[in-house]
Amino acid sequence: MDIYAFLDQHDIPYTRVDHPPVYTVAEAEAKVPPLPGANLKNLLCATRRIVYWLVVVPYETQVDLQGSAAVLGEKRLSLASPERLMQHLGVEPGAVSLLAVVNDTAAAVEVIVDADLWQAELLKCHPLVNTSTLALRQSTWPACST
């Protein structure tokens, strides 16, 4: 998917910065040029029943997978493998992004976004690669359920 064409087709403006590849929050802090907006941490999690959840939280948040599993009514959550990332979201480790759901044509991934992030005016996301970051105005996104 050409994510820039998708954003343009849906009239979603963005600001883009390019940077060296980043795979962790610490690398992003060191290598991504300043850009306004909330920093996100994105985790593709899986259950034993093969249910997938894209968990999106502020990037300073420590995610408790067992606690999250209980909240979601699951017995256990684990991080999805790189193969599952590619299969369901079309991205490699380090490029997991809220924007990657455009590649989930089978609608296999449920998205969970931290409530505090919906209060942020701008959200920062990778555009399906970990060598750029976009700042997107949350209010311009197509409507979705909360």
Side-chain angles (χ1 to χ4, degrees):
M1 157 81 52
D2 179 345
I3 195 64
Y4 297 107
F6 176 87
L7 294 171
D8 291 343
Q9 286 172 346
H10 291 86
D11 296 319
I12 301 172
Y14 57 87
T15 302
R16 173 181 169 175
V17 295
D18 296 320
H19 48 76
V22 294
Y23 295 91
T24 66
V25 169
E27 287 182 353
E29 287 180 326
K31 296 179 181 180
V32 176
L35 187 64
N39 293 308
L40 310 181
K41 180 187 294 184
N42 306 273
L43 305 171
L44 183 62
C45 299
T47 69
R48 287 188 180 170
R49 297 182 302 121
I50 315 298
V51 173
Y52 294 96
W53 301 90
L54 178 61
V55 178
V56 182
V57 297
Y59 86 167
E60 64 276 358
T61 301
Q62 293 292 323
V63 177
D64 171 10
L65 291 179
Q66 297 309 12
S68 297
V71 169
L72 297 172
E74 300 289 348
K75 290 184 180 182
R76 181 174 165 264
L77 281 180
S78 60
L79 294 179
S81 68
E83 295 79 22
R84 297 290 188 204
L85 282 174
M86 185 55 71
Q87 177 184 358
H88 294 292
L89 296 180
V91 296
E92 296 180 354
V96 181
S97 167
L98 188 54
L99 294 176
V101 297
V102 300
N103 290 329
D104 181 24
T105 57
V109 178
E110 295 287 335
V111 179
I112 303 294
V113 178
D114 183 277
D116 289 339
L117 290 176
W118 288 119
Q119 304 307 312
E121 182 178 339
L122 295 167
L123 300 176
K124 295 193 285 191
C125 303
H126 288 307
L128 311 184
V129 295
N130 64 349
T131 55
S132 295
T133 299
L134 305 181
L136 302 122
R137 189 166 308 283
Q138 191 266 125
S139 63
T140 63
W141 294 14
C144 63
S145 61
T146 56

